[in-house]
Amino acid sequence: MTSALLKLREASDNLSPTERAVAEQILRSPELVTQLSIHELAKRTFSSSATIVRLCSHIGYSGYRAFRQAVSQELAVRSQLHKSQEKQIEPMDTVEQIMEKITYRNILSLEQTRALLDPEILQKCVELIQNARVIYLFGIGASFCAAKDLYLKLLRIDKITILNEDWHSQLIQARNATPQDVGIVFSYSGATVEMIECLKAMKENGVPTIAMTRFVKSPISTLADHKLYIAANEALFRTGAMASRISQLNTVDILYTCLANQEYEHALNQMSRTYIRKPDDQ
């Protein structure tokens, strides 16, 4: 299930002024869709039923009823997230309570991230990586861990991939990138200053870019050509970017598996050829 509200937000620049006004009202108060009929929503947004039908069609729904159902499901997931705020870590929590709370939040983050992943965008990202001369990866802090995981995976299937640990080197690689390459930026917040600078450098060079970032409007989501969204539900108790890291790693697994599946025989041969045997394998 791809997020209906995400589709609406991503399409806003391509809508007519009237449709955009309706979309903005829905994004501000999505519960209106579940509460109002199409005629009532048209009256509330100073538009017409025909405008709302066109808007629903524009973002891939057969009509208002299908869009309404999708929004209702999405708001139910948001309700789950609200309840999860009660599962924050407290000073007096037992080991068992911490186990339950952390596991719950990680599972919820994975489920919500799955709902945000758009198969069409994912396929475009796979094709960009597949055809790139060089794949440049960017990330710092916890996001670097996800970038390093993708680096090691791409290395196994013989994709020319570059990832530097320090930001200055990452900025240099961004400035060296060309339109024949692809840049993949990892930033949960979407506001990491160093990653913004790298994206700006690549944009100046005409480099296709992919951002793995949370589902909010941010400098990074605005700059990147393609977005693989992560659920924006990181807990305030962030000793190590826990839920976001799990979601990024899961998205890396999906991206890598889709890529390997596109080149199935080659990937299989490469993984066999690059496997490093351990003493126990002898």
Side-chain angles (χ1 to χ4, degrees):
M1 178 187 72
T2 303
S3 165
L5 298 177
L6 170 60
K7 285 183 174 181
L8 192 61
R9 195 183 82 185
E10 292 286 286
S12 59
D13 290 341
N14 299 318
L15 300 175
S16 69
T18 308
E19 291 170 346
R20 190 179 302 118
V22 175
E24 288 172 354
Q25 180 68 24
I26 291 173
L27 289 171
R28 280 195 298 269
S29 305
E31 64 279 357
L32 291 177
V33 175
T34 64
Q35 297 167 356
L36 304 177
S37 68
I38 188 171
H39 302 292
E40 291 169 334
L41 182 61
K43 185 176 180 181
R44 178 72 68 92
T45 56
F46 304 101
S47 63
S48 66
S49 299
T51 297
I52 295 173
V53 170
R54 284 197 302 272
L55 173 62
C56 295
S57 176
H58 196 106
I59 59 174
Y61 292 95
S62 57
Y64 181 65
R65 180 178 295 179
F67 175 66
R68 187 179 192 180
Q69 184 178 8
V71 172
S72 298
Q73 291 173 344
E74 193 166 339
L75 292 182
V77 172
R78 285 191 180 186
S79 176
Q80 274 187 304
L81 173 59
H82 179 72
K83 291 177 183 177
S84 79
Q85 301 306 315
E86 301 172 4
K87 292 184 175 289
Q88 299 283 5
I89 302 297
E90 302 292 342
M92 300 303 293
D93 281 348
T94 65
V95 170
E96 288 81 5
Q97 287 172 321
I98 291 173
M99 288 168 56
E100 194 273 335
K101 288 181 178 182
I102 295 298
T103 303
Y104 177 86
R105 292 195 66 85
N106 284 343
I107 291 171
L108 183 60
S109 181
L110 289 173
E111 289 176 344
Q112 292 181 324
T113 298
R114 165 63 187 89
L116 290 173
L117 279 177
D118 186 325
E120 291 183 10
I121 298 297
L122 185 61
Q123 180 60 35
K124 287 178 183 177
C125 293
V126 168
E127 290 169 3
L128 278 174
I129 296 170
Q130 191 175 18
N131 298 319
R133 180 184 68 97
V134 179
I135 302 152
Y136 290 100
L137 304 180
F138 303 82
I140 59 175
S143 290
F144 179 82
C145 297
K148 186 63 177 288
D149 187 59
L150 181 57
Y151 168 78
L152 293 171
K153 284 178 165 60
L154 294 176
L155 199 62
R156 287 290 306 276
I157 58 173
D158 196 27
K159 293 294 180 183
I160 301 173
T161 309
I162 296 177
L163 172 63
N164 285 288
E165 292 197 24
D166 66 282
W167 172 62
H168 287 154
S169 298
Q170 290 188 22
L171 183 56
I172 291 171
Q173 71 186 39
R175 290 175 177 173
N176 284 334
T178 72
Q180 288 72 48
D181 306 320
V182 64
I184 307 177
V185 174
F186 293 77
S187 172
Y188 172 74
S189 69
T192 311
V193 174
E194 295 86 347
M195 297 300 98
I196 293 170
E197 288 302 309
C198 289
L199 269 170
K200 285 179 178 178
M202 287 188 284
K203 199 169 187 67
E204 287 177 6
N205 290 351
V207 182
T209 54
I210 300 166
M212 197 173 292
T213 187
R214 67 176 177 157
F215 177 42
V216 294
K217 188 171 184 179
S218 69
I220 282 176
S221 67
T222 301
L223 284 167
D225 298 318
H226 305 285
K227 278 77 73 174
L228 297 174
Y229 284 114
I230 303 298
N233 65 351
E234 188 64 83
L236 294 178
F237 194 94
R238 292 185 75 224
T239 57
M242 293 179 280
S244 61
R245 187 191 71 250
I246 294 293
S247 293
Q248 283 184 328
L249 290 171
N250 187 66
T251 305
V252 162
D253 287 347
I254 293 170
L255 181 63
Y256 167 74
T257 304
C258 289
L259 176 64
N261 201 48
Q262 293 282 98
E263 305 173 352
Y264 189 82
E265 292 298 330
H266 171 73
L268 209 60
N269 290 334
Q270 275 300 122
M271 284 188 281
S272 175
R273 197 169 69 83
T274 57
Y275 177 75
I276 300 173
R277 294 190 176 278
K278 289 87 174 171
D280 292 344
D281 295 337
Q282 302 299 327

